[in-house]
Structure formats: C-alpha cells, structure tokens
Amino acid sequence: MTETFDVVVAGAGPVGLMTACELRLAGVHVLVVERLPDIDPTVKAGAINVPTAEAFYRRGLLPQLLDDHAAKVAAFTGGQPGPQRFFVGHFAGITLDSSLVDFDDPAFGETGPVSEAWFVGQQEIERILGARAAELGVEIRRGVELTGFTDDSDCVTIWLGDTAIRAGWLVGCDGGHSLVRKLAGFDFPGLDPLITGHQAVVEMTGAEGLRPGWNFTATGIYVHNPGPGRILTVQVDGPPADRTAPVTAAELQAALRAVSGVPVEITGVRSATRFTDNTRQVTEYRRGRVLLAGDAAHVHSPFGGQGLNLGVGDAVNLGWKLAAVVAGWARPGLLDTYTAERHPVGEWVLEWTRAQIAVMRGDARSRAMRDVLVDLLATRDGATRIYQKISGVLHRYDLGGGHDLVGAQAPDIELSDGTRLGEHCADGRAVLLDLADSPALRAIAAPWSSRVRVVTAKPAQPRELSALLVRPDGFVAWASDGGIDGLEAALIRWFGQVG
C-alpha cells in the first residue's frame, strides 16, 4: 500500500526542518527525507541574523538559542568575561569594528531579547530544529534518498529508491545541487564561478607563522581561527577542476601554502568543504506542486553567512502559506506571494555576495576599491549601515501602501502585562494585537479566531500605534494608529474568506 502525506520535504538541513516544523505546527501531515544519516559536521554558517533569531523566538525556541550563544561565546573567549558583541561580521573580509556600530539606531529598535542570540552555528540550529520536529511529531527518515518524482497535477508521486510515496506537495530543500530542482526543470540563471575556496578544521604543524583573522595576500586570502585548527582559503585563479571530489589534506595544504606563503603541514582533517562563488537563482520558487527553498532555490558564496538566514526566511514564509493551501482556506494566489516576496530578498543576497567577490579579487582595481571600503567602514555611519544590512533588520516585503509598518518585521512590543508580542506567536497562528481595547476590532476579527489570535493589552510605554496584524512569519499585514479601516480586507487577503 502506497504511503500518503500532505507534504514531503526533501532535505533535513535547517531549511527543511524549519519548513517541516512550520507545516506540522499547522496540522499538516509531513514527511522529511534526508540522504545523510547524521548532521553534516563540515564548517558552515557560524551565526544567525535578527530575522532568523526572531523566527525561533516566536516559536518558543529562544532559550535554546541563548544557551548555544553563551556556550559559543565561552568557547571563543576561553571563558573570560568580555563584551557580547566582540564580532559583528565582515564585508569582503573587512571586519566591522563593533565599537563603531550605533546599536541605538532606530533600525535596531524593539528587536527584544533576540539581540543576544546571534552567535549560533548551523549545526546547533539543526540540533534545535531536530528536537523541535520530534516534539511536534514530524516524521524524519535519514539515510533515505529521493531518486525521482512525477507531478500529476493533483498530487506528486515521489520515489525513494524502489518505494513510492504520494503527497499533495513536494518541497525541495536539498541544497545547491538540488535533484528536486533539476528534475522539476526550474530555470536557474546566474554567473559562473571565479574562485576556489576551502573551509576546514584541521590538525597542522607550522601554524605559528599564520596571522590570525582575515589576511589578504598577493595570491589570495586566508583566515586562521576562530577556533583551533580552523582555516579558510580563497584562491582567485578559477573554480576547482572537480567540485565533487573529496577534499584531501594535500589539497588543503597546497591551498593554504599558496595563499599564505607559510610552509604549514596539515597532518589531519576533521572536517572540510570546498566552495566557489557560483551565484544562481531560480526565476520562480514554484512549478506546479513542487516548491523550492534555501540553497535549492539560490546559491552564492558563503561570505557573510547569509545562506542559512536566507533559507530560514524562505521556510517561515512558505510554511504557513502552504499549510493554508493544504487546509483549504487559502485565497487564490496566496502561494504565489512566496516567490513574489522571497525572490527579491534572494536577489539582494546574490548581489551582496557578488560585490564582496569583486572587492576580494587581487587585481589592482579590486585592491583600490577595498582601500576605499576600509576607510568607509572605519566610520560610524559606514559600519552601522553595513551591519544594518547583514543583520537583516532592514528586510521588508512590498505588501502595498497603508501604514509604514506594513511589510516590515513586527516590532517586539513590550506589553503592560509583562509579556512581549513575540511570546504570543508560539502556536503558529497570526496575531492581531489590540492596543486600544477596541470591541469593534475584536468583532471584525472574531470569525477568523481559528487562524488569528487576538491579543488585547496596553503597551508598556505610550505609543501612537493602536493595532497591529502580524502574519505567522512575523511580518506586519496591517497596522493602524487609530480606527479599523482596512482590517477586514487584510484579514480576507491573508487568511481567506470565512463563513
């Protein structure tokens, strides 16, 4: 007998797990399949941005983030007390001076407690989401590979080797080499790679000759530390001959020697990966009953660690919308807003990483541009602007007119009862925050009670805002400084007709 699921998710990385958790929270019967038997141990993203932290916070997972953040800070500093923001990121290897960033800038306002939960790596994210998925009852099959599928317009038949599974929808979260993307025939335009990069944790001798941090040389770039044996190299003489070949100690040693000029000897490899600056993005995130998220939809160099955050953003945007379709109450076109909203964000990340590669090349023009950027980022305005961008606090969607907050991430408003807005989002429903104790507002929202939670509370501090409608992904769908005009239209637009 063929097994049947509402949704099958291919890939149990952070994006696949977050997508599955969002779907399951809404009651969707979901299966995750992953070809790897365990979490991939190779060096990947080492930090998260504000929208990612907020997505976890809204689902009650902030304590786990804070614990992992604290453990990583302790490991990084050797247990010595120090400033929490000793490192806030880089642009093209130009490290931002945290003392120059104006954290009192309004763009960073009302992010709430997530501001202290940024130093969390990808493996920690996967462990947190794996536990969350188990708690929600998501079925995950590891060591199982998707080998093919057919989209029959009313369902998708998915092949796991010789086993067939039927699902209403298939979500490809299976990485940059996505088989789902290839088999579904998504267009994937972009730019071919120019560099060969390596990230690894190794055992080596002769490392005393390596300088810590980011180092630009005549032959490339290398990074030594943070953490014992951690290295990164970038060579700008073209892409690797074979991207899929195993990364060997000899290859890492040759690359590190070439860019550093230091005769190190690598005696062991704990984990290693090879990367390029291949930058591509699908033109649409959905074809029929097949959708893509994360690296399956867009690939780029890892500089700045934007990939993890971009993928989590895809997942929380897609999850509630696909769940609404499965439940049968989504308005026509709701799922189309997934591409409309997320494609521009992915496009920005690709441009952001391309710009960094242009600055990191070793030619005279690139060096001149880098010198200009070094001067700019040594200013308060320059450092603050770059950190605003990489922290994600400026991300917003074009949801059309109305209040200034519409399309922005919801401020984590502190309420007079001691709670914050984010704490009322754990069940995955939208939240209508009634700050004016309005019976008329609550009467309009009442028919949507199964999809929208109404929270009536005074703000802890006086403000003009009287009401706020927050989608399950944390973005503002409607807001008012007085009155309820447009509320019913917003409820219908995002949460369907009722009655």
Side-chain angles (χ1 to χ4, degrees), residues 49-121:
N49 67 8
V50 171
T52 296
E54 288 180 330
F56 279 69
Y57 165 49
R58 287 191 298 269
R59 299 299 183 254
L61 299 174
L62 183 61
Q64 292 92 316
L65 291 185
L66 292 172
D67 287 346
D68 282 315
H69 171 93
K72 200 169 181 184
V73 168
F76 190 88
T77 62
Q80 299 299 312
Q84 287 288 292
R85 291 194 174 273
F86 49 84
F87 177 72
V88 292
H90 72 89
F91 183 86
I94 306 168
T95 303
L96 296 181
D97 183 343
S98 61
S99 68
L100 291 175
V101 177
D102 181 10
F103 291 106
D104 293 326
D105 185 280
F108 303 116
E110 295 191 288
T111 55
V114 303
S115 60
E116 300 303 331
W118 57 273
F119 202 17
V120 184

Side-chain angles (χ1 to χ4, degrees), residues 156-195:
V156 185
T157 302
I158 298 149
W159 291 93
L160 310 176
D162 294 330
T163 302
I165 288 177
R166 291 171 63 85
W169 300 85
L170 171 62
V171 183
C173 303
D174 50 339
H177 299 285
S178 172
L179 181 63
V180 173
R181 181 187 67 235
K182 294 172 183 175
L183 294 179
F186 283 87
D187 292 330
F188 200 40
L191 298 180
D192 293 333
L194 298 174
I195 69 168

Side-chain angles (χ1 to χ4, degrees), residues 5 7 9 12 16-25 28-33 129-141:
F5 293 87
V7 180
V9 176
L17 290 173
M18 178 62 91
T19 301
C21 286
E22 291 293 283
L23 289 167
R24 186 64 195 139
L25 192 62
V28 175
H29 188 205
V30 58
L31 169 68
V32 179
V33 294
L129 288 175
R132 173 64 164 167
E135 175 187 313
L136 292 173
V138 174
E139 183 175 351
I140 302 174
R141 298 180 189 175

Side-chain angles (χ1 to χ4, degrees), residues 380-393:
R380 189 168 184 81
D381 286 346
T384 299
R385 182 60 176 178
I386 291 294
Y387 186 63
Q388 286 175 346
K389 298 288 280 186
I390 64 178
S391 69
V393 296

Side-chain angles (χ1 to χ4, degrees), residues 242-255:
D242 185 356
R243 177 77 188 278
T244 62
V247 181
T248 65
E251 179 183 347
L252 294 170
Q253 179 175 290

Side-chain angles (χ1 to χ4, degrees), residues 192-481:
D192 293 333
L194 298 174
I195 69 168
T196 296
H198 298 90
Q199 286 197 85
V201 179
V202 302
E203 298 168 3
M204 58 184 167
T205 59
E208 59 275 5
L210 299 173
R211 297 188 300 273
W214 286 82
N215 299 277
F216 289 74
T217 73
T219 52
I221 302 165
Y222 77 90
V223 182
H224 182 219
N225 290 335
R230 181 168 178 175
I231 59 170
L232 179 148
T233 65
V234 177
Q235 294 168 282
V236 294
D237 54 357
D242 185 356
R243 177 77 188 278
T244 62
V247 181
T248 65
E251 179 183 347
L252 294 170
Q253 179 175 290
L256 186 54
R257 287 183 176 186
V259 296
S260 70
V262 179
V264 298
E265 182 178 354
I266 294 181
T267 57
V269 179
R270 298 178 190 172
S271 71
T273 186
R274 186 190 296 110
F275 66 88
T276 72
D277 61 324
N278 181 34
T279 50
R280 298 184 180 278
Q281 183 181 22
V282 293
T283 54
E284 55 185 350
Y285 286 21
R286 172 193 171 192
R287 284 181 63 102
R289 290 183 170 270
V290 181
L291 301 112
L292 301 178
D295 289 349
H298 34 67
V299 295
H300 51 82
S301 74
F303 299 122
Q306 291 290 336
L308 168 63
N309 298 303
L310 181 59
V312 170
D314 291 346
V316 296
N317 186 287
L318 172 61
W320 72 274
K321 295 173 181 177
L322 184 54
V325 172
V326 172
W329 57 257
R331 293 192 77 202
L334 178 64
L335 206 50
D336 295 334
T337 67
Y338 172 51
T339 294
E341 292 173 6
R342 293 305 298 173
H343 194 281
V345 183
E347 191 173 25
W348 170 79
V349 170
L350 264 65
E351 290 296 286
W352 188 259
T353 58
R354 285 170 179 151
Q356 293 183 74
I357 296 298
V359 174
M360 296 168 81
R361 292 197 304 257
D363 62 272
R365 292 181 178 85
S366 295
R367 290 198 302 271
M369 179 58 74
R370 183 173 180 274
D371 289 342
V372 171
L373 284 174
V374 168
D375 285 343
L376 287 175
L377 297 188
T379 67
R380 189 168 184 81
D381 286 346
T384 299
R385 182 60 176 178
I386 291 294
Y387 186 63
Q388 286 175 346
K389 298 288 280 186
I390 64 178
S391 69
V393 296
L394 300 181
H395 289 174
R396 63 184 300 147
Y397 302 141
D398 182 6
L399 303 186
H403 197 280
D404 287 346
L405 283 174
V406 172
Q409 296 164 88
D412 190 32
I413 299 171
E414 185 177 0
L415 305 174
S416 59
D417 62 4
T419 65
R420 306 186 72 99
L421 174 57
E423 297 172 35
H424 295 276
C425 303
D427 67 359
R429 284 187 289 170
V431 171
L432 177 58
L433 182 61
D434 173 17
L435 296 172
D437 193 8
S438 169
L441 177 145
R442 295 193 294 274
I444 289 176
W448 283 270
S449 60
S450 64
R451 305 168 199 172
V452 180
R453 173 193 294 273
V454 177
V455 176
T456 300
K458 297 290 185 182
Q461 301 295 329
R463 58 195 309 149
E464 292 183 2
L465 188 69
S466 63
L468 196 67
L469 177 61
V470 183
R471 303 189 323 187
D473 58 357
F475 282 78
V476 178
W478 173 86
S480 176
D481 292 335

